[in-house]
Amino acid sequence: MKFENLDIQTQDRIAILTITRPSKLNALNKETIKELHKAFEMLDSDKDVRVIILTGSGEKAFVAGADIAEFAKFSMKKGARLAEKGQEILFDFVENLSTPVIAAINGFALGGGLELAMACHFRISSDNAKMGLPEVSLGVIPGYGGTQRLPQLVGKGRAMEMILSASMIDAKKALEYGLVNEVVTQEQLMEVCKKMAAKISNNSPVAMRYAIKSVNAGFKYNINGYKTEMEAFGICFGTADFKEGTTAFLEKRKADFPGK
Protein backbone atom coordinates (compact mmCIF):
# COMPACT_ATOMS: atom_id res chain seq x y z
CA MET A 1 0.00 0.00 0.00
CA LYS A 2 1.31 3.45 -0.96
CA PHE A 3 0.95 6.41 1.38
CA GLU A 4 1.21 10.13 0.70
CA ASN A 5 2.45 11.14 4.15
CA LEU A 6 4.05 7.97 5.51
CA ASP A 7 6.99 5.68 4.88
CA ILE A 8 7.24 2.08 6.11
CA GLN A 9 10.42 0.04 6.31
CA THR A 10 10.30 -3.54 7.61
CA GLN A 11 13.24 -5.72 8.59
CA ASP A 12 13.81 -8.54 11.08
CA ARG A 13 10.19 -8.46 12.34
CA ILE A 14 10.45 -4.72 13.11
CA ALA A 15 8.49 -2.07 11.18
CA ILE A 16 9.65 1.55 11.19
CA LEU A 17 6.69 3.83 10.48
CA THR A 18 7.76 7.38 9.64
CA ILE A 19 5.50 10.41 9.23
CA THR A 20 6.85 12.30 6.23
CA ARG A 21 5.62 15.90 6.28
CA PRO A 22 8.89 17.66 7.13
CA SER A 23 7.82 21.00 5.65
CA LYS A 24 4.95 20.99 8.18
CA LEU A 25 7.11 19.53 10.97
CA ASN A 26 5.10 16.33 10.47
CA ALA A 27 1.89 17.96 11.73
CA LEU A 28 -1.18 15.74 11.78
CA ASN A 29 -3.82 16.63 9.22
CA LYS A 30 -6.94 14.55 8.56
CA GLU A 31 -5.33 12.66 5.70
CA THR A 32 -2.27 11.72 7.76
CA ILE A 33 -4.47 10.49 10.60
CA LYS A 34 -6.40 8.30 8.15
CA GLU A 35 -3.18 6.97 6.65
CA LEU A 36 -1.76 6.21 10.10
CA HIS A 37 -4.87 4.20 10.93
CA LYS A 38 -4.50 2.16 7.74
CA ALA A 39 -0.78 1.65 8.31
CA PHE A 40 -1.18 0.50 11.92
CA GLU A 41 -4.07 -1.78 10.92
CA MET A 42 -1.97 -3.31 8.14
CA LEU A 43 1.11 -3.81 10.31
CA ASP A 44 -0.92 -5.24 13.20
CA SER A 45 -2.35 -7.91 10.90
CA ASP A 46 1.07 -8.78 9.44
CA LYS A 47 2.28 -11.94 11.18
CA ASP A 48 5.88 -11.07 10.32
CA VAL A 49 5.77 -7.74 12.20
CA ARG A 50 6.31 -8.11 15.94
CA VAL A 51 7.12 -4.49 16.91
CA ILE A 52 6.41 -1.06 15.38
CA ILE A 53 8.64 2.00 15.84
CA LEU A 54 6.84 5.27 15.13
CA THR A 55 8.85 8.39 14.34
CA GLY A 56 8.88 11.62 12.32
CA SER A 57 11.00 12.51 9.32
CA GLY A 58 13.95 14.84 9.73
CA GLU A 59 15.70 15.91 12.93
CA LYS A 60 13.40 18.74 14.02
CA ALA A 61 10.13 17.09 14.90
CA PHE A 62 8.38 13.86 15.82
CA VAL A 63 5.02 15.56 15.28
CA ALA A 64 4.75 19.28 16.01
CA GLY A 65 0.99 19.18 16.55
CA ALA A 66 -2.23 19.08 14.59
CA ASP A 67 -2.77 21.07 11.40
CA ILE A 68 -4.59 24.04 12.94
CA ALA A 69 -5.66 25.48 9.59
CA GLU A 70 -7.94 22.48 9.08
CA PHE A 71 -10.14 23.13 12.11
CA ALA A 72 -9.76 26.84 12.93
CA LYS A 73 -13.31 27.59 11.76
CA PHE A 74 -15.04 24.47 13.09
CA SER A 75 -18.34 24.69 14.98
CA MET A 76 -18.76 23.11 18.44
CA LYS A 77 -20.40 20.06 16.87
CA LYS A 78 -17.64 19.61 14.28
CA GLY A 79 -14.97 20.10 16.94
CA ALA A 80 -16.46 17.39 19.16
CA ARG A 81 -16.73 15.07 16.17
CA LEU A 82 -13.09 15.76 15.23
CA ALA A 83 -11.92 14.63 18.67
CA GLU A 84 -14.23 11.61 18.72
CA LYS A 85 -13.19 10.41 15.28
CA GLY A 86 -9.49 10.98 15.92
CA GLN A 87 -9.61 9.00 19.14
CA GLU A 88 -11.46 6.17 17.45
CA ILE A 89 -9.30 5.71 14.37
CA LEU A 90 -5.86 6.62 15.73
CA PHE A 91 -5.16 7.44 19.37
CA ASP A 92 -7.30 4.80 21.11
CA PHE A 93 -6.56 2.47 18.21
CA VAL A 94 -2.79 2.70 18.79
CA GLU A 95 -3.11 2.42 22.57
CA ASN A 96 -5.03 -0.83 22.20
CA LEU A 97 -3.05 -2.24 19.27
CA SER A 98 -1.96 -5.86 19.74
CA THR A 99 1.50 -5.14 18.34
CA PRO A 100 3.81 -3.17 20.68
CA VAL A 101 4.44 0.39 19.46
CA ILE A 102 7.52 2.41 20.48
CA ALA A 103 7.48 6.16 19.92
CA ALA A 104 10.91 7.39 18.83
CA ILE A 105 10.59 11.09 19.69
CA ASN A 106 13.14 12.83 17.50
CA GLY A 107 12.40 16.50 18.18
CA PHE A 108 9.24 18.50 18.87
CA ALA A 109 6.27 16.49 20.15
CA LEU A 110 3.59 19.09 20.73
CA GLY A 111 -0.19 19.00 21.00
CA GLY A 112 -1.50 16.12 18.91
CA GLY A 113 2.08 14.96 18.45
CA LEU A 114 2.61 14.41 22.17
CA GLU A 115 -0.85 12.86 22.39
CA LEU A 116 0.16 10.40 19.65
CA ALA A 117 3.43 9.59 21.45
CA MET A 118 1.50 9.02 24.69
CA ALA A 119 -0.87 6.63 22.90
CA CYS A 120 2.12 4.46 22.00
CA HIS A 121 3.06 1.75 24.49
CA PHE A 122 6.20 3.59 25.58
CA ARG A 123 8.53 6.36 24.45
CA ILE A 124 12.26 6.85 23.82
CA SER A 125 13.45 10.40 23.17
CA SER A 126 16.37 12.19 21.59
CA ASP A 127 18.09 14.69 23.87
CA ASN A 128 16.99 17.64 21.71
CA ALA A 129 13.27 16.84 22.03
CA LYS A 130 10.73 19.31 23.39
CA MET A 131 7.30 18.19 24.57
CA GLY A 132 4.13 19.98 25.54
CA LEU A 133 0.40 20.50 25.18
CA PRO A 134 -0.01 24.16 24.14
CA GLU A 135 -3.70 23.99 23.26
CA VAL A 136 -4.99 26.41 25.95
CA SER A 137 -2.89 29.16 24.35
CA LEU A 138 -5.18 28.73 21.31
CA GLY A 139 -8.39 28.83 23.31
CA VAL A 140 -9.00 25.08 23.22
CA ILE A 141 -7.93 22.01 25.21
CA PRO A 142 -6.13 18.80 24.20
CA GLY A 143 -8.73 16.73 22.34
CA TYR A 144 -6.91 13.52 21.46
CA GLY A 145 -6.57 12.11 24.97
CA GLY A 146 -3.99 14.52 26.38
CA THR A 147 -5.98 15.42 29.51
CA GLN A 148 -6.29 11.72 30.33
CA ARG A 149 -3.02 10.09 29.27
CA LEU A 150 -0.67 12.80 30.55
CA PRO A 151 -1.86 12.53 34.19
CA GLN A 152 -1.60 8.73 33.94
CA LEU A 153 2.05 9.07 32.98
CA VAL A 154 3.31 12.04 35.01
CA GLY A 155 0.72 12.54 37.77
CA LYS A 156 -2.11 15.01 38.16
CA GLY A 157 -0.11 17.99 39.44
CA ARG A 158 2.54 17.93 36.76
CA ALA A 159 -0.05 17.32 34.05
CA MET A 160 -2.09 20.29 35.28
CA GLU A 161 1.00 22.47 35.23
CA MET A 162 1.97 21.43 31.70
CA ILE A 163 -1.55 21.78 30.30
CA LEU A 164 -2.52 25.04 32.05
CA SER A 165 0.80 26.79 31.40
CA ALA A 166 0.97 25.52 27.79
CA SER A 167 4.71 25.18 28.43
CA MET A 168 7.19 22.85 26.78
CA ILE A 169 9.53 20.62 28.76
CA ASP A 170 12.86 19.28 27.55
CA ALA A 171 13.85 15.63 27.27
CA LYS A 172 15.67 15.62 30.60
CA LYS A 173 12.58 16.79 32.46
CA ALA A 174 10.38 14.40 30.46
CA LEU A 175 12.59 11.54 31.71
CA GLU A 176 12.41 12.86 35.28
CA TYR A 177 8.60 13.03 35.00
CA GLY A 178 8.31 9.50 33.59
CA LEU A 179 6.90 10.76 30.31
CA VAL A 180 9.69 8.97 28.41
CA ASN A 181 11.57 5.80 29.31
CA GLU A 182 14.99 6.79 28.05
CA VAL A 183 16.85 9.77 26.53
CA VAL A 184 19.66 9.29 24.02
CA THR A 185 21.39 11.42 21.42
CA GLN A 186 19.72 12.10 18.09
CA GLU A 187 22.29 9.87 16.40
CA GLN A 188 21.63 6.98 18.80
CA LEU A 189 17.84 7.18 18.82
CA MET A 190 16.87 4.74 16.09
CA GLU A 191 19.55 2.21 17.01
CA VAL A 192 18.44 2.20 20.65
CA CYS A 193 14.81 1.80 19.56
CA LYS A 194 15.74 -1.01 17.19
CA LYS A 195 17.70 -2.78 19.91
CA MET A 196 14.73 -2.60 22.28
CA ALA A 197 12.35 -3.67 19.50
CA ALA A 198 14.57 -6.67 18.71
CA LYS A 199 14.44 -7.75 22.34
CA ILE A 200 10.65 -7.43 22.42
CA SER A 201 10.27 -9.25 19.10
CA ASN A 202 11.66 -12.46 20.61
CA ASN A 203 8.70 -12.76 22.97
CA SER A 204 5.29 -14.32 22.45
CA PRO A 205 3.06 -12.11 20.26
CA VAL A 206 -0.03 -13.67 21.82
CA ALA A 207 1.17 -13.09 25.38
CA MET A 208 2.17 -9.51 24.56
CA ARG A 209 -1.30 -8.86 23.11
CA TYR A 210 -2.91 -9.96 26.37
CA ALA A 211 -0.34 -8.08 28.45
CA ILE A 212 -1.17 -4.83 26.61
CA LYS A 213 -4.88 -5.46 27.10
CA SER A 214 -4.44 -6.17 30.81
CA VAL A 215 -2.24 -3.15 31.53
CA ASN A 216 -4.64 -0.84 29.67
CA ALA A 217 -7.60 -2.28 31.59
CA GLY A 218 -6.16 -0.93 34.83
CA PHE A 219 -6.64 2.63 33.55
CA LYS A 220 -10.29 2.22 32.53
CA TYR A 221 -12.80 3.29 35.17
CA ASN A 222 -15.44 0.76 34.08
CA ILE A 223 -13.15 -2.27 33.74
CA ASN A 224 -11.72 -4.47 36.49
CA GLY A 225 -8.04 -4.73 35.58
CA TYR A 226 -7.39 -7.65 37.93
CA LYS A 227 -10.26 -9.62 36.42
CA THR A 228 -9.01 -8.84 32.91
CA GLU A 229 -5.56 -10.07 33.89
CA MET A 230 -6.85 -13.30 35.43
CA GLU A 231 -8.97 -14.09 32.38
CA ALA A 232 -6.10 -13.31 30.00
CA PHE A 233 -3.72 -15.39 32.10
CA GLY A 234 -6.03 -18.38 31.75
CA ILE A 235 -6.49 -17.87 28.01
CA CYS A 236 -2.73 -17.97 27.50
CA PHE A 237 -2.64 -21.57 28.79
CA GLY A 238 -4.64 -22.67 25.75
CA THR A 239 -2.36 -21.08 23.15
CA ALA A 240 0.32 -22.55 20.91
CA ASP A 241 2.67 -19.85 22.17
CA PHE A 242 2.33 -21.11 25.75
CA LYS A 243 3.03 -24.66 24.66
CA GLU A 244 6.10 -23.56 22.68
CA GLY A 245 7.38 -21.24 25.42
CA THR A 246 7.16 -23.77 28.22
CA THR A 247 8.48 -26.60 26.06
CA ALA A 248 11.46 -24.50 24.99
CA PHE A 249 12.18 -23.58 28.60
CA LEU A 250 12.13 -27.21 29.73
CA GLU A 251 14.27 -28.24 26.75
CA LYS A 252 16.67 -25.38 27.49
CA ARG A 253 16.41 -23.83 24.05
CA LYS A 254 15.22 -20.51 22.61
CA ALA A 255 11.50 -20.39 21.95
CA ASP A 256 10.29 -20.04 18.37
CA PHE A 257 6.81 -18.61 18.78
CA PRO A 258 4.28 -19.30 15.99
CA GLY A 259 3.32 -15.63 15.67
CA LYS A 260 0.16 -13.62 15.65
Side-chain angles (χ1 to χ4, degrees):
M1 184 180 293
K2 289 187 177 181
F3 296 103
E4 186 72 25
N5 301 308
L6 305 176
D7 177 70
I8 300 174
Q9 301 293 327
T10 305
Q11 185 177 5
D12 299 328
R13 302 190 295 189
I14 300 167
I16 300 175
L17 175 56
T18 305
I19 301 169
T20 56
R21 300 186 76 214
S23 64
K24 299 290 185 180
L25 295 180
N26 303 318
L28 296 176
N29 59 0
K30 288 189 289 185
E31 186 58 35
T32 304
I33 288 175
K34 288 178 183 177
E35 287 192 355
L36 280 166
H37 172 80
K38 291 177 183 176
F40 277 115
E41 187 175 50
M42 178 182 72
L43 293 171
D44 195 40
S45 64
D46 187 339
K47 66 179 183 179
D48 295 322
V49 173
R50 300 287 178 90
V51 187
I52 301 167
I53 299 172
L54 176 66
T55 195
S57 58
E59 298 182 354
K60 291 183 178 180
F62 172 74
V63 173
D67 198 328
I68 297 168
E70 281 195 339
F71 60 79
K73 298 186 183 298
F74 273 18
S75 65
M76 289 187 290
K77 185 175 180 179
K78 288 185 72 174
R81 180 59 182 156
L82 178 73
E84 181 183 2
K85 190 67 175 176
Q87 286 278 25
E88 177 187 344
I89 70 169
L90 183 57
F91 299 85
D92 284 349
F93 188 76
V94 171
E95 182 178 69
N96 294 295
L97 205 71
S98 298
T99 306
V101 183
I102 303 170
I105 304 176
N106 56 312
F108 289 109
L110 304 175
L114 181 56
E115 289 174 302
L116 180 56
M118 291 191 294
C120 297
H121 298 123
F122 62 93
R123 292 143 293 283
I124 298 176
S125 168
S126 61
D127 54 10
N128 69 322
K130 303 284 187 183
M131 297 165 227
L133 296 174
E135 284 87 348
V136 297
S137 68
L138 301 173
V140 70
I141 70 168
Y144 288 141
T147 65
Q148 305 304 300
R149 293 188 179 98
L150 187 60
Q152 290 172 6
L153 290 166
V154 308
K156 181 179 177 181
R158 284 171 171 166
M160 283 288 196
E161 180 184 353
M162 286 180 65
I163 292 168
L164 299 181
S165 68
S167 299
M168 291 188 293
I169 61 172
D170 61 20
K172 182 180 179 181
K173 191 164 288 281
L175 180 63
E176 176 189 329
Y177 282 7
L179 184 52
V180 300
N181 293 47
E182 189 174 355
V183 175
V184 298
T185 66
Q186 181 89 43
E187 293 75 23
Q188 293 173 316
L189 180 61
M190 289 311 299
E191 286 308 311
V192 169
C193 288
K194 287 178 184 178
K195 185 176 180 180
M196 177 57 71
K199 186 175 182 180
I200 293 170
S201 72
N202 290 325
N203 298 320
S204 160
V206 173
M208 289 193 293
R209 178 170 76 243
Y210 284 112
I212 289 168
K213 181 179 180 180
S214 298
V215 171
N216 284 343
F219 292 93
K220 309 298 182 185
Y221 76 92
N222 59 341
I223 298 176
N224 186 319
Y226 289 100
K227 184 177 180 181
T228 300
E229 179 190 272
M230 287 184 284
E231 290 174 352
F233 181 75
I235 291 170
C236 287
F237 278 74
T239 67
D241 276 19
F242 176 75
K243 182 177 180 180
E244 167 59 15
T246 53
T247 301
F249 177 82
L250 294 172
E251 293 178 353
K252 297 181 180 179
R253 60 175 174 81
K254 185 177 178 180
D256 182 16
F257 293 108
K260 299 176 183 179

